[in-house]
Amino acid sequence: MANITSSLLSACHRTDNHWTGVEPNAEWVDEINRLKQERNAVILAHNYQLPEIQDIADYVGDSLALSRKAAETDADVIVFCGVHFMAESAKILSPDKTVLIPDEEAGCSLADSITAEQLREWKAEHPDALVVSYVNTTAEVKALTDVCCTSSNAVDVVKSLPEDKEILFNPDMFLGAHVKRETDRDNIQVWAGECHVHAGITPRQLEEQATANPEADLYIHPECGCANSAIYLAGEGAIEPERVHMYSTGQMLDAAREGGNNKVLIATETGMLHQLNQAAPEADFQAINPQAECKYMKMITPAALLRCLAEGADEVTVPEDISKAARDSLEAMISIGNPGSGE
């Protein structure tokens, strides 16, 4: 069997900033499953991953839900098919497990939009403020945070904090705008960060697609550049308010399972369509922007996953002091009572 691994590995090579050379055929599936058992590993795949990666995974979902699930397993190794901050979160919640990411170069434009040094400087300018950080941040940023949030619980997290306390919300400005609108608090400062993929789903695309498909519901991720426009158009009567739903990816799946046979326009990364189609195969899911694809998520290829399990690459570590402080900010969120499902 080792010869099969060697044969497949010999075909792996780095091209255009990702691992390639291996097809997700039956031989690949068998070898991934064998290596997984050999390492006592659990494979996690985010909803935005390639379909073949989602299909081979033990669990598919949002990053925080996956990290929490992995912590409950008896696996020695967590293989996180996602981007780097997600693997860090898994390590924070499972410090005694080995955490691997199939390609350590799989970053995140949103997580990169605020650094720990920038957050320190922002906090120094607002010394009495509380910091609320989206889980789509690095471990170092989480370590400087009072309480984390997900897109599904961000409003509840902020509502739980004292009304007279200034809030520093980071890093996503669209999610921050959603929280300000829903909480009606004027003492929330919002960092000007964004996910380049979600920001690229524009108000014009939303309006055009909603007008062309008047019978369709709209599932909109709060990170999207079109989110505020959707609320405005609904308020003005240009789109029926009952069609507009602001959902995390986990909430999209819940709604799809309950939605029946209908047409739905999706405003999030296109990888989400694979899970939605499996959750409700009778429905018609269409992306508002079919080009909304994250190049970092797609770096986790069949070749990268094979290399990861065969060679134990690439391991993700978090310094103990940062891990403890970051864990405190995640546990502060969980203690509020609505841990959410992830981003």
Side-chain angles (χ1 to χ4, degrees):
M1 296 297 290
N3 289 335
I4 296 176
T5 299
S6 298
S7 174
L8 290 173
L9 278 176
S10 66
C12 292
H13 57 278
R14 192 88 176 174
T15 302
D16 296 331
N17 204 34
H18 66 276
W19 290 97
T20 188
V22 174
E23 294 298 321
N25 54 26
E27 182 181 51
W28 174 81
V29 170
D30 289 344
E31 195 61 5
I32 292 296
N33 287 327
R34 186 188 72 80
L35 291 167
K36 181 181 72 173
Q37 291 181 349
E38 186 178 278
R39 287 190 178 274
N40 188 27
V42 60
I43 300 176
L44 313 178
H46 189 270
N47 289 316
Y48 298 162
Q49 289 290 293
L50 293 168
E52 54 266 33
I53 299 298
Q54 294 187 39
D55 290 344
I56 196 78
D58 297 292
Y59 302 103
V60 181
D62 291 332
S63 64
L64 181 60
L66 290 172
S67 293
R68 296 178 73 200
K69 186 70 177 179
E72 298 170 359
T73 73
D74 59 1
D76 296 317
V77 177
I78 298 171
V79 178
F80 209 121
C81 299
V83 295
H84 200 270
F85 81 81
M86 298 178 181
E88 282 186 336
S89 293
K91 184 64 177 179
I92 289 165
L93 294 178
S94 299
D96 296 329
K97 296 180 186 291
T98 298
V99 176
L100 305 176
I101 184 169
D103 194 328
E104 64 183 358
E105 297 300 319
C108 172
S109 61
L110 179 56
D112 288 346
S113 67
I114 186 167
T115 65
E117 185 56 36
Q118 287 172 322
L119 181 52
R120 287 190 192 95
E121 292 174 358
W122 200 25
K123 288 177 67 172
E125 295 168 2
H126 304 268
D128 297 324
L130 295 174
V131 176
V132 177
S133 296
Y134 192 22
V135 292
N136 296 33
T137 46
T138 65
E140 288 184 326
V141 167
K142 288 184 178 73
L144 296 169
T145 296
D146 292 293
V147 56
C148 283
C149 72
T150 67
S151 62
S152 59
N153 71 16
V155 172
D156 290 337
V157 165
V158 172
K159 282 183 175 179
S160 75
L161 302 176
E163 291 186 4
D164 61 344
K165 274 289 190 179
E166 186 178 25
I167 305 295
L168 303 183
F169 189 95
N170 77 94
D172 190 80
M173 60 183 177
F174 299 113
L175 180 58
H178 172 66
V179 169
K180 288 190 72 170
R181 180 174 57 247
E182 293 296 314
T183 61
D184 196 29
R185 289 179 61 153
D186 59 8
N187 60 349
I188 302 177
Q189 308 299 323
V190 179
W191 189 260
E194 64 180 26
C195 161
H196 74 285
V197 176
H198 283 104
I201 305 174
T202 67
R204 181 176 179 179
Q205 291 168 337
L206 169 78
E207 187 169 7
E208 289 177 349
Q209 290 292 333
T211 301
N213 299 275
E215 78 286 4
D217 284 338
L218 285 78
Y219 291 1
I220 302 170
H221 196 287
E223 283 183 39
C224 288
C226 66
N228 289 338
S229 178
I231 299 299
Y232 172 78
L233 291 171
E236 292 294 305
I239 299 176
E240 295 84 352
E242 60 270 18
R243 294 173 60 194
V244 178
H245 307 280
M246 305 295 287
Y247 286 153
S248 68
T249 51
Q251 290 170 329
M252 287 182 186
L253 286 170
D254 292 339
R257 296 184 184 104
E258 299 170 1
N261 184 16
N262 61 328
K263 189 171 189 176
V264 185
L265 301 177
I266 304 297
T268 192
E269 209 271 355
T270 57
M272 190 68 203
L273 294 174
H274 185 63
Q275 284 298 307
L276 287 168
N277 286 324
Q278 291 186 332
E282 72 283 359
D284 180 13
F285 298 103
Q286 295 187 16
I288 288 177
N289 179 355
Q291 282 73 52
E293 183 174 288
C294 177
K295 65 178 182 180
Y296 301 112
M297 285 287 184
K298 273 50 178 182
M299 289 174 71
I300 310 303
T301 60
L305 179 56
L306 176 73
R307 169 183 166 272
C308 173
L309 280 167
E311 300 180 355
D314 295 314
E315 185 170 359
V316 175
T317 60
V318 180
E320 186 176 349
D321 57 335
I322 292 175
S323 181
K324 181 184 183 305
R327 193 179 310 116
D328 288 344
S329 68
L330 287 169
E331 290 176 350
M333 173 189 69
I334 294 169
S335 71
I336 291 168
N338 176 22
S341 57
E343 69 291 337

